[in-house]
């Protein structure tokens, strides 16, 4: 290790301590930023080793500086162990243990960091074999030293489990895990038992329980329950000091016993102790101790989830546990922890619906019946002020709304267990009872609508259970439907009832006698004073038209009149919903009437669009114009009935008159992105809905996409162009002349993009880059030989290299996935079904490109992995590297080696670099592609953690920068 120059640390490290003072003082942002950068760089230096020890050994330096010193040592041990001679690690170990002894009564955060330091050193110091014995022996056996020992033992499994932080191979990490954890499990259990005996079996400490929890993956639960530790652990539930740790630990034990057939002895030991805690549920609820109530709810719910198969197999034996979970759900008046039980009810339902557990289903039927009542009770809105039920607490309001939908899922589980009829009956009886009470009230009280929450909650439950009710239900639903349209007027009730009607439209389609009163009820909601009710009516109408469209085909004229009347006053979302609805009715028309129906609805929309286009002089009017274009897109997406081959397509005939309208609008607003996007989506919807039937419109659409991209440089036109490639690229459905024309279209779009890149850096247009390479991915799928054998290949690869400077995930993924697909054509087996075998001339062209450009691709990808790529790009980056390894194995090793030589001095030791190269080389020789992938992943991740900080100004390896893209075409 570096040696001190004899000065006290206050003088020797005065600049570091001054920077720390700046960080914690009342300094301006720039000063703190400079101090942070200085400290980050200092922590990487060899001198930081001396700083850490000197400051921690000082008696005069403050706690904040000592905590920074401990944190610095932790980072040095994790990432910079190579800076020390191997034989000095023993003195480092002894120094850390001495510091632990020194701080055994000091500040706990410093002590914790030192424990992490020692655990990290133990993981990497392969020659240190007697880790736990030496620490036990050195720390001593007094009470405070035992606490320090427990803290060290607690962090050791955590550090080993996260071993990929350090520079160990998979084999070394696996072997060290065996040595440090598995081989020491029995020894640690003995230490914990001895400690419990010293402190008192009935006096558990948080340190003891936390340590046991940390080792439960290594110490078998059957060994724990055979010792007095199990009594100590459950005693913690009567001890506030260790309660939270005990909940965590016992829940871990439950999870470790999920393999119930192998763990029955452990479960039988835990179960009676758990059930003995059930009275604590009432105690916590009665005393309103939320933390305690949450802890016990979690405890029982975790046990239920872990042993759910036993609960289904042995219902009588485990019924008490189910009752306890039910009690937790029932007594959670504040709805704070009931969600912890939801997974259990779902898991139990999944077993009970199986035929083999039919007896258990009958056994628990009463529990699920009560659960319906519990959930409906919890669905009730709070009884707050009429103008604001949540008293201004918007966070609580949003949480309540999300919570209601989660409870709705539990109601669905109940339907599957006890049948939808029984569940519906419970909700219906509540509505019926409320109505009976309401009719008995005086007119004055009826006007106040007191207790409306008890009416709205069962209505919400009816909506939540809708998916579980069969369309042929003829007992309860008819009564419900008759009652719904007669409910007294209240905004929340009207809103809930409207959504219930919208949820059961499939049932209504099988019971047309109920259609008219329901439709009248919904349509009258558009005249309601409440915006929420109108939005609910729009949603319900959409579902009615979708499911009952065939019943409404004769009412198309009335629907159009209604649509024209209400659409000007609706918010945009509701307008889209009713448009979707009426489009389904149009789609349900006989084919001979489709053209007229489209004309009825869409021609007025097109006329209004042209009128608005002529007056759209400011951004607000332009945005409204863009929003209304979506109305036509909805009709395109919905109205595409099957047309027999050879028969006139009425949809194409109609849209031939509309496409020029939108093309004219696009020409006038090609510089306004929202309109470009909406027209682009309209074109794309046409292509997807009508596919090759779009051939008569293809020249006009393709030409508009090409000229619009050239003028606007908006990625939306490349996105739609990819759809053209896909829909007209299949040889089975598209003739050769059309495919040739589509390829010429592809070339034109590529040339426009190259000209754009001549003057624009990819960082300025990340979205366009993403759309371009998604477009190329479609091109390489349907026209691989033409692209690979053409003069487009070189500039495409150059564009991809320039685009690897990006740091946004999706654009990078598009580039990497395209490169992977391109290089895959160098193999005999192609990446898709275009060929049975890749033609030799295509393979040779790809191999030649890989040989020529492979080093630059390797440099850019390694640079990105080490410095700038988001984590989601690692897999696809590895995919490109693997393709290069397979095509150019010997060159690839040299390319990696030359890239490592460009890294900053000291960032990677020669030994680490050689270890990485050796791992890749061996895996390449053995064609072990998975090993190459994880070796590359582990090394680059380790390098990044060690050398790159969030504030780092370096974004890549110096010398790997790509020259500016240049295209002379």
């Amino acid at each position: 290790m570096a040696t001190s120059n004899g000065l006290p640390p206050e003088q020797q490290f005065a600049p570091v301590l001054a920077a720390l003072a700046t960080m914690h003082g009342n300094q301006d942002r720039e000063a703190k930023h400079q101090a942070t950068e200085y400290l980050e760089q200092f922590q990487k230096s060899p001198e930081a080793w001396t700083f850490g020890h000197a400051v921690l050994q000082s008696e005069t330096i403050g706690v904040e500086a000592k905590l920074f010193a401990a944190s610095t040592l932790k980072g040095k041990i994790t990432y910079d162990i190579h800076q020390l001679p191997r034989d000095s690690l023993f003195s480092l170990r002894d120094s850390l243990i001495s510091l632990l002894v020194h701080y055994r009564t000091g500040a706990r955060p410093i002590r914790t960091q030192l424990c992490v330091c020692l655990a990290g050193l133990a993981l990497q110091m392969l020659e240190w074999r007697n880790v736990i014995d030496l620490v036990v022996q050195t720390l001593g056996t007094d009470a405070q030293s035992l606490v320090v020992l427990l803290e060290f033992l607690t962090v050791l499994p955590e550090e080993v489990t996260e071993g990929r932080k350090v520079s160990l191979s998979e084999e070394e990490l696996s072997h060290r895990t065996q040595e440090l954890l598995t081989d020491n499990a029995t020894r640690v259990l003995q230490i914990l038992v001895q400690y419990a005996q010293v402190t008192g079996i009935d006096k558990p400490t948080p340190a003891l329980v936390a340590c046991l929890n940390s080792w439960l993956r290594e110490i078998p639960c059957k060994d724990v329950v055979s010792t007095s530790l199990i009594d100590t652990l459950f005693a913690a539930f009567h001890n506030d000091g260790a309660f939270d740790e005990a909940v965590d630990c016992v829940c871990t034990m439950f999870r470790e016993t999920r393999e119930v057939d192998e763990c029955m002895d452990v479960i039988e030991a835990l179960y009676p102790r758990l059930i003995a805690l059930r009275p604590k549920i009432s105690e916590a609820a009665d005393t309103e101790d939320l933390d305690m109530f949450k802890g016990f709810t979690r405890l029982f719910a975790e046990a239920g989830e872990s042993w759910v198969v036993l609960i289904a197999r042995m219902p009588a034996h485990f019924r008490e546990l189910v009752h306890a979970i039910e009690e937790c759900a029932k007594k959670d008046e504040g709805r704070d922890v009931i969600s912890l039980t939801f997974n259990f009810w779902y898991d139990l339902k999944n077993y009970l619906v199986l035929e083999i557990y039919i007896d258990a289903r009958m056994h628990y039927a009463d529990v699920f019946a009560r659960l319906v009542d519990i959930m409906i009770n919890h669905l009730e809105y709070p009884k707050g002020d009429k103008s604001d039920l949540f008293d201004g607490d918007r966070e609580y309001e949003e949480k309540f709304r999300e919570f209601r939908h989660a409870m709705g899922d539990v109601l669905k589980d109940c339907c599957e267990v006890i049948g939808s009829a029984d569940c519906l009956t419970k909700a219906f009886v509540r509505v019926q009872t409320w109505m009976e009470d309401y009719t008995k009230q005086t007119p004055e009280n009826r006007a106040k609508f007191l207790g409306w929450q008890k009416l709205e909650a069962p209505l919400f439950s009816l909506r939540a259970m809708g998916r579980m009710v069969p369309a042929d239900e003829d007992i309860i639903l008819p009564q419900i439907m008759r009652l719904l349209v007669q409910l007294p007027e209240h905004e929340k009730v009207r809103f809930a009832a409207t959504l219930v009607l919208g949820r059961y439209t499939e049932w209504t389609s099988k019971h047309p006698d109920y259609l008219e009163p329901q439709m009248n009820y919904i349509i009258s909601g558009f005249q309601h004073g409440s915006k929420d009710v109108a939005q609910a009516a729009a949603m319900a109408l959409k579902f009615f038209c979708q499911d009952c469209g065939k019943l409404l085909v004769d009412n198309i004229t009335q629907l159009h009149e209604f649509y024209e009347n209400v659409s000007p006053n609706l918010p945009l979302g509701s307008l889209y919903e009713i448009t979707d609805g009426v489009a389904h009715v149009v789609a349900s028309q006989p084919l001979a009437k489709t053209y007229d129906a489209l004309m009825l609805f869409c021609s007025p929309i097109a006329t209004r669009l042209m009128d608005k286009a002529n007056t759209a002089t400011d951004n607000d009017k332009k945005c409204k114009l863009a929003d209304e274009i979506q109305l036509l897109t909805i009709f395109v997406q919905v109205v595409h009935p099957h047309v027999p081959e050879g028969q006139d397509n009425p949809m194409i005939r109609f849209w031939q008159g509309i496409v020029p309208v939108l093309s004219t609008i696009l020409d006038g607003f090609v510089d306004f992105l929202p309109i470009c996007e909406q027209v682009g989506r309209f074109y794309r919807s046409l292509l997807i809905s009508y596919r090759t039937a779009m051939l008569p419109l293809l020249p006009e659409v393709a030409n508009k996409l090409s000229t619009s991209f050239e003028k606007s440089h908006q990625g939306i036109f490349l996105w739609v162009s990819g759809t053209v490639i896909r829909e007209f690229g299949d040889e089975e459905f598209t003739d050769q002349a059309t495919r040739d024309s589509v390829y010429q279209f592809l070339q034109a779009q590529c040339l426009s993009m190259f000209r754009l890149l001549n003057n624009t850096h990819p960082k300025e247009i990340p979205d366009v880059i993403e759309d371009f390479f998604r477009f190329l991915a479609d091109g390489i799928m349907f026209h691989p030989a033409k692209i690979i054998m053409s003069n487009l290949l070189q500039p495409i690869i150059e564009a991809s290299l320039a685009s690897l400077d990006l740091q946004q995930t999706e654009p990078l993924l598009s580039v990497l996935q395209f490169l992977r697909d391109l290089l895959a054509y160098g193999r005999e087996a192609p990446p898709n079904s275009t060929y049975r075998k890749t033609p030799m001339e295509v393979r040779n062209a790809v191999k030649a490109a890989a040989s020529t450009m492979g080093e630059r691709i390797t440099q850019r990808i390694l640079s990105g992995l080490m410095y700038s790529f988001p984590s989601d790009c690692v897999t696809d980056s590895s995919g490109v590297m693997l393709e290069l390894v397979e095509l150019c194995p010997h060159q690839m090793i040299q390319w990696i080696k030359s890239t490592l030589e460009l890294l900053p001095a000291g960032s990677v030791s020669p030994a680490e670099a050689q270890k990485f190269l050796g791992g890749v080389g061996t895996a390449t020789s053995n064609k072990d592609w998975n090993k190459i992938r994880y070796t590359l992943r582990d090394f680059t991740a380790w390098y990044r953690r060690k050398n790159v900080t969030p504030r780092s100004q370096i974004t890549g390896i110096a010398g790997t920068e790509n020259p500016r893209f240049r295209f002379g075409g």
Side-chain angles (χ1 to χ4, degrees):
M1 288 191 297
T3 57
S4 172
N5 59 11
L7 294 174
E10 292 90 340
Q11 296 179 31
Q12 185 178 354
F13 300 107
V16 181
L17 296 175
L20 274 173
T22 299
M23 282 290 299
H24 297 293
N26 188 21
Q27 304 290 330
D28 60 59
R29 178 180 294 182
E30 180 59 28
K32 289 191 173 189
H33 178 72
Q34 292 177 0
T36 301
E37 287 192 334
Y38 171 77
L39 292 173
E40 287 176 346
Q41 292 305 313
F42 173 77
Q43 286 181 309
K44 297 176 183 179
S45 69
E47 193 180 7
W49 291 103
T50 305
F51 167 80
H53 284 85
V55 170
L56 287 167
Q57 290 167 356
S58 171
E59 298 295 336
T60 57
I61 292 178
V63 171
E64 287 182 344
K66 289 182 175 180
L67 185 57
F68 176 77
S71 177
T72 298
L73 278 180
K74 181 184 74 172
K76 301 299 287 182
I77 289 170
T78 303
Y79 304 120
D80 295 333
I81 203 78
H82 64 276
Q83 292 178 346
L84 303 178
R86 198 72 194 175
D87 56 6
S88 70
L89 297 185
F90 288 96
S91 60
L92 173 61
R93 177 196 68 187
D94 296 340
S95 175
L96 287 173
I97 295 177
S98 297
L99 286 170
L100 266 178
V101 173
H102 178 71
Y103 281 94
R104 68 186 183 278
T105 57
R108 183 176 178 183
I110 297 176
R111 193 168 67 234
T112 300
Q113 292 283 13
L114 289 172
C115 287
V116 174
C117 289
L118 189 58
L121 180 62
L123 176 61
Q124 297 180 80
M125 193 174 167
L126 305 181
E127 53 270 54
W128 182 14
R129 300 306 177 102
N130 61 333
V131 173
I132 291 179
D133 286 340
L134 179 62
V135 175
V136 171
Q137 176 185 337
T138 310
L139 285 179
T141 57
D142 61 276
Q144 193 56 48
S145 294
L146 283 173
V147 171
V148 178
L149 173 61
L150 290 179
E151 289 184 0
F152 169 72
L153 291 176
T154 300
V155 301
L156 181 61
E158 297 167 2
E159 291 302 303
V160 173
T161 302
E162 297 179 4
R164 282 202 170 89
K165 288 182 179 179
V166 299
S167 182
L168 291 178
S169 68
E170 289 286 335
E171 293 80 3
E172 289 171 333
L173 181 59
S174 176
H175 181 70
R176 198 58 175 157
T177 301
Q178 174 76 26
E179 282 187 336
L180 291 176
L181 302 185
T182 309
D183 294 348
N184 281 309
T186 302
R187 176 77 175 106
V188 171
L189 181 60
Q190 292 171 351
I191 293 171
L192 295 178
V193 171
Q194 291 168 3
Y195 178 83
Q197 291 171 344
V198 169
T199 58
I201 296 298
D202 59 344
K203 298 176 181 178
T205 65
L208 170 67
V209 180
C211 185
L212 174 60
N213 188 26
S214 183
W215 278 82
L216 277 175
R217 287 187 178 178
E218 308 301 328
I219 302 174
C221 289
K222 63 181 178 61
D223 292 347
V224 176
V225 299
S226 64
T227 69
S228 57
L229 266 184
I230 192 65
D231 298 318
T232 303
L233 183 56
F234 275 84
F237 293 114
H238 307 278
N239 179 336
D240 290 342
F243 178 80
D244 291 339
E245 290 80 5
V247 171
D248 289 339
C249 187
V250 174
C251 285
T252 301
M253 294 187 75
F254 292 154
R255 288 192 291 273
E256 291 295 316
T257 57
R258 282 179 178 269
E259 299 296 329
V260 295
D261 292 325
E262 300 171 9
C263 303
M264 278 307 298
D265 292 344
V266 179
I267 293 170
E268 290 296 348
L270 292 174
Y271 184 57
R273 287 180 167 86
L274 175 65
I275 294 304
L277 296 173
R278 186 180 171 187
K280 290 283 186 179
I281 299 172
S282 293
E283 179 185 330
D286 294 342
T287 59
E288 298 183 355
D289 187 334
L290 179 59
D291 290 338
M292 182 179 175
F293 186 71
K294 182 176 182 179
F296 283 114
T297 300
R298 182 183 164 206
L299 203 65
F300 285 99
E302 288 268 10
E305 289 180 45
S306 299
W307 303 339
V308 64
V309 65
L310 289 180
I311 294 172
R313 285 182 194 168
M314 307 163 65
H317 185 63
F318 285 94
R319 185 178 178 87
E320 187 76 7
L321 174 56
V322 178
H323 281 317
I325 299 171
E326 177 192 350
E327 183 179 359
C328 291
K330 182 178 182 180
K331 294 191 173 181
D332 183 22
E333 294 183 2
R335 309 181 188 90
D336 297 299
V337 300
I338 187 176
S339 60
L340 297 176
T341 70
F342 290 170
N343 283 342
F344 166 71
W345 300 119
Y346 174 75
D347 291 344
L348 181 57
K349 176 266 299 184
N350 283 338
Y351 280 99
L352 296 184
V353 296
L354 300 177
E355 193 64 32
I356 192 175
Y357 296 118
I358 183 66
D359 292 338
R361 190 193 315 175
M362 303 303 296
H363 190 89
Y364 291 124
D366 63 319
V367 175
F368 277 86
R370 290 193 298 271
L371 188 60
V372 174
D373 292 320
I374 291 170
M375 292 298 140
I376 294 178
N377 289 337
H378 283 309
L379 286 172
E380 291 181 16
Y381 270 97
K383 295 177 173 63
D385 182 81
K386 182 178 180 181
S387 61
D388 188 350
L389 297 171
F390 298 90
D391 299 325
D393 191 340
R394 300 282 78 85
E395 183 179 351
Y396 174 49
E397 181 179 4
E398 184 62 29
K399 180 182 174 183
F400 176 74
R401 293 183 190 280
E402 294 175 0
F403 175 70
R404 291 183 111 204
H405 290 288
M407 284 193 292
D409 292 335
V410 179
L411 288 170
K412 294 183 184 73
D413 297 334
C414 295
C415 287
E416 291 196 66
V417 175
I418 64 175
S420 59
D422 287 350
C423 296
L424 287 176
T425 299
K426 282 181 169 290
F428 173 63
V429 167
R430 285 179 177 240
V431 175
Q432 200 173 37
T433 302
W434 191 94
M435 285 292 290
E436 290 172 357
D437 293 340
Y438 178 78
T439 56
K440 297 175 184 177
Q441 295 174 12
T442 63
E444 292 80 7
N445 283 339
R446 284 204 296 268
K448 295 176 183 178
F449 223 96
L450 299 174
W452 62 267
Q453 291 91 339
K454 293 189 177 298
L455 172 60
E456 192 276 343
L459 291 177
F460 184 93
S461 74
L462 288 172
R463 175 187 168 201
M465 294 184 286
R467 184 165 59 85
M468 311 309 299
V469 181
D472 58 357
E473 208 285 324
D474 286 328
I475 300 173
I476 303 300
L477 274 182
Q479 301 177 66
I480 292 174
M481 294 304 173
R482 283 192 292 269
L483 186 58
L484 285 179
V485 296
Q486 300 173 27
L487 293 176
E489 196 62 43
H490 182 276
E491 179 184 350
K492 293 290 186 184
V493 172
R494 178 90 187 202
F495 178 84
T498 301
L499 291 178
V500 172
L501 294 177
R503 191 65 189 82
Y504 287 87
T505 51
E506 187 178 347
W507 180 89
T508 304
S509 70
K510 303 286 177 59
H511 300 79
D513 292 345
Y514 294 85
L515 177 62
E516 184 175 349
Q518 292 182 22
M519 283 290 289
N520 291 337
Y521 185 84
I522 290 170
I523 288 174
S524 66
F526 288 97
Q527 279 75 50
H528 198 281
S530 166
K531 183 186 297 185
D532 289 340
V533 171
Q535 290 176 341
M539 183 183 297
L541 181 63
K542 178 182 74 171
F543 293 134
F544 261 93
C545 292
Q546 286 178 355
D547 290 331
C548 306
K550 292 189 181 301
L551 300 176
L552 296 170
V553 291
D554 294 333
N555 302 99
I556 194 78
T557 304
Q558 296 93 315
L559 269 178
H560 175 253
E561 291 175 0
F562 163 76
Y563 180 79
E564 290 292 312
N565 287 333
V566 302
S567 58
N569 303 315
L570 289 176
L572 192 62
S574 296
L575 176 59
Y576 288 165
E577 287 186 322
I578 67 165
T579 301
D580 181 283
V582 297
H584 276 86
V585 179
V586 172
S588 299
Q589 297 290 314
L591 192 59
K593 295 183 178 181
T594 304
Y595 180 92
D596 292 337
L598 276 173
M599 177 74 73
L600 183 66
F601 282 93
C602 296
S603 289
I605 295 174
T607 301
R608 286 194 291 269
L609 287 175
M610 285 304 298
D611 292 341
K612 291 189 176 185
N614 292 330
T615 59
T617 54
D618 57 48
N619 281 352
D620 183 56
K621 290 181 179 178
K622 291 177 185 178
C623 286
K624 289 180 178 178
L625 172 63
D627 291 337
E628 291 214 20
I629 293 172
Q630 175 68 15
L631 300 178
L632 292 178
T633 303
I634 292 171
F635 278 97
V636 172
Q637 292 169 339
V638 173
V639 185
H640 48 85
H642 173 70
V643 178
E645 188 174 353
Q647 188 172 329
D648 173 56
N649 190 315
M651 286 75 72
I652 297 298
R653 182 158 46 92
F654 176 76
W655 295 119
Q656 279 179 314
I658 299 296
V659 166
V661 173
L662 291 183
S663 297
T664 301
I665 292 174
L666 179 59
D667 289 338
F669 299 93
V670 75
D671 58 344
F672 190 68
L673 178 59
I675 289 179
C676 291
E677 289 185 336
Q678 288 291 4
V679 175
R681 290 192 182 100
F682 174 79
Y683 288 155
R684 186 171 184 270
S685 297
L686 282 172
L687 290 161
I688 291 173
S689 291
Y690 306 119
R691 311 197 69 175
T692 52
M694 269 286 292
L695 188 59
L697 283 167
L698 182 60
E700 181 177 354
V701 170
N703 178 64
K704 190 56 60 180
L705 291 173
S706 181
T707 57
S708 298
F709 177 63
E710 191 171 8
K711 292 177 184 176
S712 70
H713 301 147
Q714 298 293 349
I716 179 69
F717 300 112
L718 294 175
W719 183 57
V720 181
S721 298
T723 308
V724 173
I725 304 296
R726 289 194 300 276
E727 296 300 336
F728 291 91
D730 194 324
E731 294 178 347
E732 183 178 351
F733 302 105
T734 309
D735 61 61
Q736 189 60 46
T738 302
R739 295 183 77 248
D740 290 342
S741 298
V742 168
Y743 179 71
Q744 291 172 8
F745 165 70
L746 181 150
Q747 286 180 305
Q749 296 293 61
C750 286
L751 294 177
S752 295
M753 184 67 187
F754 297 154
R755 287 190 285 269
L756 172 61
L757 287 174
N758 270 339
N759 304 309
T760 311
H761 194 280
K763 289 184 177 179
E764 300 174 45
I765 50 170
D767 293 340
V768 181
I769 293 295
E770 179 186 349
D771 290 323
F772 178 60
F773 282 96
R774 301 288 184 208
F775 166 72
L776 284 178
D778 292 321
I780 203 75
M781 175 181 290
F782 290 100
H783 303 277
K786 287 182 178 180
I787 292 176
I788 290 169
M789 305 297 293
S790 75
N791 56 8
L792 291 177
L793 183 62
Q794 179 72 18
I796 285 174
I797 297 177
E798 291 287 356
S800 69
L801 287 170
S803 301
L804 290 176
D805 282 340
L806 294 170
Q807 296 181 23
Q808 295 95 328
T809 300
E810 292 304 321
L812 275 173
L813 286 176
S814 71
V815 177
L816 293 166
Q817 289 165 2
F818 168 75
L819 282 174
R820 183 197 60 205
D821 292 347
L822 171 64
L823 293 171
Y825 281 100
R827 295 188 272 109
E828 181 178 352
N832 56 53
S833 59
T834 304
Y835 307 114
R836 296 184 63 183
K837 287 185 179 181
T838 308
M840 187 56 67
E841 62 271 19
V842 173
R843 293 175 60 189
N844 289 339
V846 172
K847 287 181 180 180
S851 180
T852 304
M853 310 286 284
E855 183 170 16
R856 289 171 60 195
I857 296 173
T858 301
Q859 289 178 346
R860 293 300 307 128
I861 290 181
L862 279 177
S863 177
L865 287 171
M866 291 179 174
Y867 284 94
S868 61
F869 283 1
S871 58
D872 288 345
C873 296
V874 172
T875 300
D876 288 299
S877 298
S878 301
V880 177
M881 299 286 278
L882 287 174
E883 295 293 347
L884 284 173
V885 168
E886 193 166 351
L887 295 179
C888 312
H890 302 298
Q891 292 169 281
M892 185 65 175
I893 301 300
Q894 186 57 44
W895 294 337
I896 294 175
K897 183 174 184 293
S898 63
T899 304
L900 295 183
E901 291 170 353
L902 297 173
L903 292 171
S907 61
V908 177
S909 70
E912 288 164 335
Q914 189 54 47
K915 180 179 176 182
F916 170 56
L917 285 170
V920 174
T922 302
T924 300
S925 300
N926 297 332
K927 295 186 177 182
D928 189 344
W929 313 126
N930 281 336
K931 184 171 183 180
I932 295 174
R933 187 185 293 276
Y934 70 67
T935 300
L936 178 67
R937 177 200 63 198
D938 292 348
F939 176 77
T940 54
W942 168 81
Y943 179 92
R944 192 164 184 165
R945 284 192 299 267
K946 175 180 181 293
N947 295 288
V948 183
T949 67
R951 299 178 181 86
S952 176
Q953 299 297 312
I954 303 174
T955 58
I957 302 173
T960 66
E961 299 88 353
N962 201 58
R964 185 66 183 262
F965 179 86
R966 287 288 179 261
F967 177 70

